[in-house]
Amino acid sequence: MTYLDYQATTPLAPEARAAMLEWLGGPDSAGFGNPHSAHRMGRAAAAAIELARERVAMLCPSGGRVVFTGSATEAINLAIRGSGTGGTVAASAIEHAAVLDTAQALGTLHSIPVSNEGLADLTSPLPSDTRLVCMMQVNNEIGVVQDSAAWQARAREAGALFLSDAVQAAGKLAVVDADLIALSAHKLHGPKGIGALWVRDGVQLDPQITGGGQEQGLRSGTLSPALCAGFGVAAQLALERQAEDTAHVAALSARARSLFAGWTINGSATHRWPGNLNLRLDGLDVARLMSECRHVAFSAGSACASGSGRPSHVLRAIGLTDAQAKSSIRLGFGRYTTMESLEAAAKTLINAALQQ
Ligand code: PLP
């Protein structure tokens, strides 16, 4: 199996796995303490969490704190629901469902249009009562990189907070300045089941999960030291290997783009994370391609939307027809993808598509 779905999730780094094992202790080990207990085992677990918090904070600007959550979806909910009630939440039309559905559920969503390249329109007016601007750094479906600095400036001008969904960018691209930043461990070779919200000092949030008052009162519930430790090591590794990983992904991307030369790239060809290739071949039957190429793990549109039968809201927002959206595939690759496996998988997909 060749795994080409790095935007859906990434393989756990062996280093992160090793760090987690220490905190998955059984009865004969000291690694199962409750990090919120006052005894020695509890304090050791709490220290592991604080070390992880420092490591995750390295993915973010200075001047804020990391709040661990169960996922980036939960972090985004805390940011949107916890930062106020009245006022409008403005978000690009191609944000993740965690943003769009949450703002929609609150009845406050203002959709910022995007160009055919997938770039959010910086000239589009924001409602005067905008209280929060949400902009993803890198889009999960089409890989487009937004001008986050310009959006942060626009949020400031509007007197609004700025939420950066950095799930697909953290550890890969330069840190974006923001008031709130959402992160997910499993997109950067950490474990599933843990995310984080970085909160700038001075930004007030109301907790959305109440109880024991953990995470500075913002997110009650016993933390998993194992998940935190895995997230921390994955974050540290991403930063240490950033240059090497980026060069590797750039080489893979250049090769993939030459192999898929006859296909159209959805979204900007230049403002994009190179580890994402969303490609379209008019007339392609993606469901058939998937069943014929079972040894290649790739996605039709977004992994979140796939299976729903609905055309992707992102591909629609950049102006694709339903037929074009349905003839698009997403290939995602990264640190552990070898050039040989990518070439072989690409050839398999291209040959199968040609025979349709
Ligand atoms: N934001 C983006 C850009 C994503 O790609 C995802 C996951 O696909 C999320 C948010 C949600 O992350 P999680 O799986 O941690 O809830």
Side-chain angles (χ1 to χ4, degrees):
M1 171 68 82
T2 302
Y3 184 76
L4 295 182
D5 206 8
Y6 267 58
Q7 281 72 48
T9 194
T10 55
L12 186 64
E15 295 88 339
R17 185 174 185 277
M20 292 174 71
L21 288 176
E22 198 185 329
W23 298 102
L24 290 172
D28 299 329
S29 105
F32 65 90
N34 184 325
H36 313 295
S37 296
H39 49 65
R40 181 145 44 125
M41 278 171 64
R43 287 202 310 274
I49 289 176
E50 291 318 307
L51 176 61
R53 197 186 304 282
E54 282 168 27
R55 289 173 167 163
V56 173
M58 299 301 287
L59 299 172
C60 303
S62 54
R65 62 206 161 121
V66 167
V67 177
F68 284 120
T69 60
S71 62
T73 298
E74 190 196 320
I76 288 167
N77 269 265
L78 175 57
I80 295 178
R81 294 176 191 272
S83 59
T85 41
T88 293
V89 175
S92 88
I94 60 171
E95 293 303 293
H96 191 271
V99 169
L100 296 179
D101 290 9
T102 304
Q104 189 98 60
L106 295 175
T108 62
L109 176 65
H110 168 79
S111 178
I112 301 168
V114 298
S115 68
N116 288 344
E117 297 220 305
L119 292 162
D121 180 1
L122 275 160
T123 64
S124 154
L126 295 175
S128 58
D129 67 343
T130 301
R131 68 168 175 86
L132 180 68
V133 175
C134 311
M135 190 62 56
M136 51 183 22
Q137 197 177 350
V138 173
N139 184 270
N140 52 309
E141 292 193 39
I142 55 176
V144 168
V145 180
Q146 302 293 344
D147 187 348
S148 294
W151 280 104
Q152 191 210 16
R154 285 212 62 198
R156 280 227 172 117
E157 274 163 32
L161 293 175
F162 181 57
L163 165 65
S164 170
D165 175 348
V167 166
Q168 298 285 345
K172 301 186 179 88
L173 297 182
V175 174
V176 153
D177 201 17
D179 299 299
L180 298 156
I181 300 177
L183 303 167
S184 181
H186 74 101
K187 309 287 185 173
L188 47 84
H189 306 292
K192 291 169 192 56
I194 182 161
L197 183 67
W198 178 86
V199 184
R200 175 172 293 294
D201 293 340
V203 172
Q204 298 297 323
L205 291 178
D206 288 328
Q208 301 302 303
I209 300 178
T210 48
Q214 289 92 347
E215 292 304 88
Q216 310 130 59
L218 278 178
R219 198 268 189 179
S220 289
T222 303
L223 285 174
S224 159
L227 293 179
C228 293
F231 192 0
V233 169
Q236 187 182 32
L237 202 61
L239 292 174
E240 281 169 8
R241 296 185 46 131
Q242 197 175 54
E244 192 186 336
D245 285 352
T246 303
H248 179 57
V249 169
L252 294 171
S253 179
R255 182 70 183 124
R257 282 172 77 155
S258 73
L259 287 168
F260 285 96
W263 300 44
T264 306
I265 297 180
N266 292 323
S268 171
T270 47
H271 294 81
R272 66 181 307 111
W273 167 246
N276 172 313
L277 271 184
N278 196 309
L279 296 162
R280 180 172 95 238
L281 188 65
D282 288 333
L284 180 70
D285 181 340
V286 173
R288 194 172 143 199
L289 188 71
M290 281 189 156
S291 76
E292 286 169 357
C293 303
R294 288 181 194 276
H295 294 292
V296 184
F298 65 102
S299 178
S302 137
C304 305
S306 60
S308 69
R310 281 181 290 145
S312 140
H313 72 284
V314 175
L315 298 183
R316 272 193 173 180
I318 63 169
L320 267 59
T321 63
D322 282 1
Q324 287 173 321
K326 283 183 177 165
S327 59
S328 298
I329 62 171
R330 183 186 67 183
L331 304 180
F333 36 85
R335 185 186 298 164
Y336 302 106
T337 312
T338 63
M339 184 64 86
E340 298 69 39
S341 68
L342 179 73
E343 284 175 344
K347 285 173 188 163
T348 302
L349 293 173
I350 292 164
N351 287 338
L354 283 177
Q355 281 164 25
Q356 282 193 358

